[in-house]
Amino acid sequence: MIRFILMLCITALLLTSTLIADTTEPAQTAAVEPIDTTKVYHIQTVVEVTGKRITPTQRDFPVAKGQFNTILNTNGFSLIRKGTFFAQDIYADGLKRGDIQVVVDGERYHSACPNRMDSPLTRANPLEMAGIEMVKNTGTLQSGIGGAINYQREKPMQPLKIRAGLSQAAGVTENSDAAFAINSHDHRINARYATGRGYEDADGESFVDRYGYKQNYSYRLAEGSVIGRRGDWQYRTGFTYTDDVMFPYLQMDERVNRVWSGFVSYKGHKLYANHTSHVMDNGLRVSTGTMVTDATNFTVGATGSFYEVFYRNWDADNEIATPMMRIENHLMPDVSVASGALQKQIDKPHWGVSGKAGIVYHKMGDANRLDFFKALYPDAEDSRLLPTFGLNAYFKTMLSKNVLGVISAEVASDVPATENMYITVQKPMGKPYWLGNPTMDAPVKAGLRAKASYKGASFEAFATRIWNYVNFTRASAGMVSYMTYENIDAVLTGFNFTGEWKYVDLNAFYTWANNTSSDSAMSEIPPLTVTTTLKSPEYKGFKAQFQHTFADAQTRIDESLDERTTPSWHRFDLGLSYKTGSLRFALDVENLTDELYYQHMSYLRNPYASGDILYEPGRTFRFTVTFDEVFSKQSYHRMK
């Protein structure tokens, strides 16, 4: 309570004194006035920021091999582990998953799995990416109610360029990850292959010991793509394959996932499509029954600087069989979604405004499934038409010679996640059915942010009010009990602090969230987390760093959903790297003290939650080597 009162005081002080904005250091090659710049991280010469204007609630980061976890755990964003190393989901300032849209160069990649096993968040090939744009405001074209994560691909280039990386983990975690990208004549070939096994925690407990697997299975990820350009035209095609990815926090695992994707664009106007085929079951577990889900998702869309239209079809069948009975569920009943939106953005030296407006149409193809919803929601219909909008405004100014301040305000509305509206799961042995709510209203969000930046340090405070936020609830009809969804009102407030100096980095965030409809804590809210990194100066190509992460106990939980408190924990990591020319070698020791810990999470966030606590890996040694070289024309011809 004391922490909350203190935080509210800080928030009020910042909001009333108009201190807000994003830290601002211009690129070395860009001659831009300080007021118009923002913190941008580079990958050598890949990212050019001259003339690029970024709003205060937007940040760009580079992508290097193995950096996804580091990048996506900063500035209020955090990842929650669900299984092996690329099985994670995103949170930001108390909002989560379906609230935050994940796009790749403007292309939407929807999950085929209702449990979001196949989230594209951490499965993108790092060597194909130039940066990650992390947006918290809702005024941009593809933002959800909680913002957006936009992966930015590196554009193909004319000279020969080779990027390659190999990562090998040992100790309690065994996995290998290799990728390469070869660029020449405005075309690039990318490939990646990763494999590994389920890890052990700090107590030496494996997935077999703790989660009931038959054995410690190996998973595989393979992906390849070709991207090119000719004049004003660009094009790409790619394919990704994964199998036997273990998800201990669920009752099933990903057995096969295949994703095909492609696009063609002309002068910034892009037409894209992707298709996902996903199969999950409990065949890797010790069980007396079987559960199988077969799902597909197809998305096609067109996007430009000021517009977006897309169509999505999502279908999933599920079968649950026990020695006594068999249940067939049309899990996602052939749902189609059509959406269109327009956006306008105005940026001036000291202020800016961005806004969007759109409409989303849902249609349930299997009309026979409607009776299942009507048992709990008599007004349910097989189609919905909902508007969306977002408006964001900011003002920024130099409060003194070295202090940049910004204040921003927003109001927005977005549709509930499709699975929250239309998922249907009948369960055996008296267990609650899982049912979407197609009658829910669209959430409406109003928020204020204030940020002050001074010489590498940035403090941000935020306050958010959401009406009709989508939340879990229990219900019953007749003799049947349900886990379903409802609209609630909520308040979220907190702060984010980032500091980046020569020898020290500091990242801290905290969110206090309350369900005002029931005057209780909201579920799935990460606790206060502080990460401190000590960095050594470079000496003859060598650099070292020591990192400490502290997560406080989370005692504010939603007991009505059987959410559990989480104890505090400390984690220490050590890294050493050596760079010579285009080669970089790195040795990292993760969880140096072999701490037994787990992150805070909710245990009823989907119909197939196992209820198990997912412990993090114990002490892990990771060796990485990367190569990144752009060859001159002379050396290119010699190589030919």
Side-chain angles (χ1 to χ4, degrees):
M1 186 64 184
I2 295 175
R3 183 188 296 125
F4 172 56
I5 295 173
L6 178 61
M7 182 181 55
L8 284 179
C9 292
I10 293 173
T11 304
L13 177 64
L14 284 172
L15 290 174
T16 55
S17 60
T18 328
L19 297 178
I20 317 285
D22 218 300
T23 195
T24 306
E25 293 180 5
Q28 295 178 356
T29 59
V32 187
E33 296 179 8
I35 195 66
D36 291 332
T37 60
T38 189
K39 173 73 76 176
V40 177
Y41 296 79
H42 305 271
I43 307 175
Q44 296 180 0
T45 59
V46 172
V47 180
E48 296 180 2
V49 296
T50 304
K52 181 178 181 181
R53 191 184 298 269
I54 300 178
T55 62
T57 51
Q58 177 178 325
R59 289 170 65 90
D60 274 13
F61 293 85
V63 177
K65 191 65 180 160
Q67 282 190 330
F68 277 165
N69 286 2
T70 301
I71 295 171
L72 294 171
N73 276 293
T74 188
N75 196 37
F77 289 89
S78 59
L79 292 176
I80 299 297
R81 180 186 295 275
K82 297 190 297 181
T84 49
F85 81 109
F86 51 74
Q88 304 183 77
D89 226 327
I90 190 73
Y91 289 68
D93 296 346
L95 301 178
K96 57 192 83 73
R97 297 191 308 278
D99 304 327
I100 304 167
Q101 296 300 318
V102 178
V103 296
V104 182
D105 275 349
E107 305 162 33
R108 292 181 183 258
Y109 285 78
H110 297 106
S111 296
C113 174
N115 300 308
R116 293 177 62 88
M117 288 180 176
D118 58 331
S119 169
L121 185 66
T122 50
R123 297 194 179 192
N125 186 343
L127 293 188
E128 189 181 7
M129 302 300 163
I132 300 178
E133 182 182 78
M134 303 166 71
V135 180
K136 290 185 178 180
N137 73 67
T138 52
T140 59
L141 190 62
Q142 295 177 311
S143 292
I145 202 76
I149 302 291
N150 186 5
Y151 286 106
Q152 302 161 335
R153 294 191 186 99
E154 181 182 355
K155 291 180 172 57
M157 54 196 301
Q158 180 64 28
L160 175 65
K161 178 179 181 179
I162 298 177
R163 301 178 71 189
L166 174 65
S167 176
Q168 177 66 51
V172 300
T173 301
E174 299 179 13
N175 60 60
S176 303
D177 194 352
F180 72 87
I182 300 177
N183 188 105
S184 181
H185 292 86
D186 288 331
H187 286 75
R188 185 174 68 251
I189 299 175
N190 308 284
R192 182 187 183 193
Y193 180 79
T195 185
R197 296 178 179 273
Y199 56 81
E200 295 179 2
D201 59 35
D203 275 353
E205 298 287 323
S206 70
F207 281 21
V208 175
D209 304 321
R210 197 176 285 280
Y211 306 117
Y213 284 88
K214 297 175 184 177
Q215 65 183 65
N216 198 10
Y217 294 94
S218 296
Y219 60 81
R220 284 170 294 276
L221 176 149
E223 60 183 348
S225 64
V226 178
I227 185 170
R229 60 179 176 177
R230 279 287 183 267
D232 294 323
W233 291 89
Q234 292 192 41
Y235 36 87
R236 178 189 180 274
T237 185
F239 181 77
T240 302
Y241 172 88
T242 57
D243 66 8
D244 291 347
V245 182
M246 293 184 285
F247 287 83
Y249 103 108
L250 298 170
Q251 295 175 319
M252 290 188 283
D253 306 289
E254 180 181 277
R255 302 306 304 276
V256 176
N257 196 76
R258 298 181 179 89
V259 182
W260 171 88
S261 61
F263 77 79
V264 58
S265 69
Y266 178 73
K267 291 186 176 181
H269 301 279
K270 174 182 286 187
L271 177 65
Y272 69 91
N274 54 73
H275 181 272
T276 301
S277 176
H278 175 87
V279 176
M280 60 178 177
D281 65 29
N282 66 339
L284 305 182
R285 318 282 185 104
V286 177
S287 177
T288 57
T290 60
M291 293 187 291
V292 181
T293 296
D294 190 343
T296 59
N297 183 88
F298 173 71
T299 301
V300 59
T303 182
S305 61
F306 65 92
Y307 69 91
E308 180 197 31
V309 293
F310 73 85
Y311 167 81
R312 175 193 187 188
N313 179 263
W314 190 5
D315 197 35
D317 291 300
N318 167 258
E319 180 181 295
I320 302 174
T322 70
M324 302 297 295
M325 63 186 306
R326 175 180 172 181
I327 299 174
E328 293 185 353
N329 290 302
H330 202 173
L331 185 69
M332 292 302 301
D334 192 23
V335 179
S336 293
V337 181
S339 175
L342 298 173
Q343 187 227 10
K344 177 66 175 178
Q345 184 166 331
I346 300 173
D347 285 303
K348 298 296 182 180
H350 291 275
W351 62 273
V353 177
S354 62
K356 69 175 180 182
I359 196 163
V360 180
Y361 176 74
H362 291 85
K363 176 67 175 178
M364 189 169 64
D366 184 359
N368 295 327
R369 203 63 171 166
L370 189 60
D371 290 338
F372 197 83
F373 293 99
K374 285 184 174 292
L376 194 59
Y377 303 108
D379 296 332
E381 299 180 353
D382 61 359
S383 64
R384 289 289 302 275
L385 185 66
L386 293 169
T388 64
F389 66 88
L391 180 64
N392 176 268
Y394 69 88
F395 174 78
K396 60 182 177 179
T397 186
M398 299 302 296
L399 301 173
S400 68
K401 182 179 179 180
N402 296 313
V403 179
L404 175 64
V406 179
I407 187 166
S408 65
E410 65 175 334
V411 60
S413 179
D414 200 7
V415 298
T418 305
E419 59 269 31
N420 299 159
M421 298 173 66
Y422 294 107
I423 193 169
T424 60
V425 184
Q426 182 180 355
K427 289 193 169 186
M429 297 181 291
K431 295 180 180 179
Y433 293 3
W434 200 278
L435 186 67
N437 182 355
T439 68
M440 285 189 296
D441 294 323
V444 178
K445 172 188 175 183
L448 286 173
R449 289 184 181 273
K451 184 181 287 186
S453 302
Y454 173 75
K455 291 187 176 180
S458 176
F459 181 84
E460 175 188 67
F462 64 89
T464 302
R465 183 77 161 95
I466 304 181
W467 296 267
N468 299 327
Y469 187 65
V470 177
N471 197 44
F472 303 108
T473 188
R474 300 180 188 274
S476 62
M479 301 295 292
V480 180
S481 60
Y482 294 89
M483 282 298 301
T484 184
Y485 302 88
E486 65 176 349
N487 291 125
I488 64 167
D489 296 339
V491 170
L492 302 93
T493 183
F495 70 86
N496 303 302
F497 177 83
T498 58
E500 299 172 1
W501 301 284
K502 187 173 183 180
Y503 298 122
V504 180
D505 289 346
L506 182 63
N507 179 45
F509 63 88
Y510 177 74
T511 299
W512 184 92
N514 205 56
N515 178 345
T516 58
S517 296
S518 62
D519 192 23
S520 61
M522 288 183 63
S523 64
E524 300 184 54
I525 303 299
L528 170 69
T529 304
V530 181
T531 302
T532 307
T533 305
L534 304 179
K535 304 175 293 185
S536 74
E538 183 175 344
Y539 177 73
K540 294 185 177 180
F542 286 93
K543 294 181 69 175
Q545 73 174 34
F546 179 77
Q547 185 175 87
H548 169 246
T549 302
F550 165 72
D552 198 5
Q554 180 56 286
T555 57
R556 298 197 77 252
I557 57 171
D558 188 342
E559 295 182 353
S560 69
L561 296 177
D562 296 335
E563 191 176 25
R564 309 172 193 173
T565 60
T566 305
S568 63
W569 52 267
H570 296 264
R571 168 176 158 163
F572 298 90
D573 302 306
L574 182 65
L576 177 67
S577 65
Y578 171 70
K579 190 175 188 303
T580 174
S582 301
L583 281 170
R584 181 180 180 273
F585 303 89
L587 176 63
D588 296 285
V589 185
E590 302 166 0
N591 196 2
L592 181 65
T593 59
D594 211 18
E595 174 87 357
L596 181 67
Y597 73 100
Y598 57 93
Q599 300 184 57
H600 182 69
M601 63 187 71
S602 177
Y603 302 92
L604 286 174
R605 61 169 125 181
N606 58 70
Y608 299 110
S610 65
D612 288 328
I613 294 171
L614 183 55
Y615 288 91
E616 295 288 316
R619 185 185 300 112
T620 301
F621 300 88
R622 190 177 305 278
F623 176 74
T624 305
V625 57
T626 57
F627 176 83
D628 193 341
E629 176 72 20
V630 178
F631 295 90
S632 65
K633 291 183 178 181
Q634 292 80 6
S635 61
Y636 173 51
H637 289 303
R638 284 197 300 270
M639 290 182 67
K640 290 180 66 178

